Amino acid sequence: MRSIRAGISGCGIGLLLAGCVSQPPVEPPMGVLTHHAAERALVELAPTSGSQVSGRLEVERFGDGVRVTGVVRGLPGAGQYGMHVTSVGDCSHASAMSAGQIFNPHRTAHGEPAMGEHMAGDMANITADASGVARIDQQLAGVTLGGGGYDDIANRAIVVRERAADYRTQPDGGAGARTACGVITVSVPPPQA
């Protein structure tokens, strides 16, 4: 009987330890940012299967977040298209679904960045001209570039969507398929202290 109890106790401790290991890390309080560890990153947007959309973006430290600038080409024509930062920096799947969902460390609802509550990876729709070119200049508040914190977007990805996000449909604004994807790759290391 004693060996059965010892086995159960050992198993119980093992389960307890396993449960502790699988718990998500404790996040800092809302509004508290970790530090930036990089000045700049590049994003080379490559088309997904059947798409012609591509582009090059630059992400740089800016205020309480980052600024995203650049050009997206090959969009189907004049109009608006969704774009967002994803939770995973993996564009390997033909549909770019390997990049995960919209980056959402605060576990909030999808929404328009300029209008209140939204996911950290939500971005404003981009506008293409008649030749299918969109010039990007947007700010994302509340995120960092590098540093490894819960709000860090380095090594995540940016995706372009086939239509505009409506900012109501959960979890991604009903923006349709992903037409391009690129990993946010740090290009300039921080200055040496």
Side-chain angles (χ1 to χ4, degrees), residues 3 48 64 68 73 77 89 137 142 192:
S3 64
T48 57
D64 69 342
V68 180
R73 301 181 192 297
D137 189 349
Q192 296 297 319

Side-chain angles (χ1 to χ4, degrees), residues 75-79 128-133:
L75 294 159
D129 61 21
S131 61
V133 175

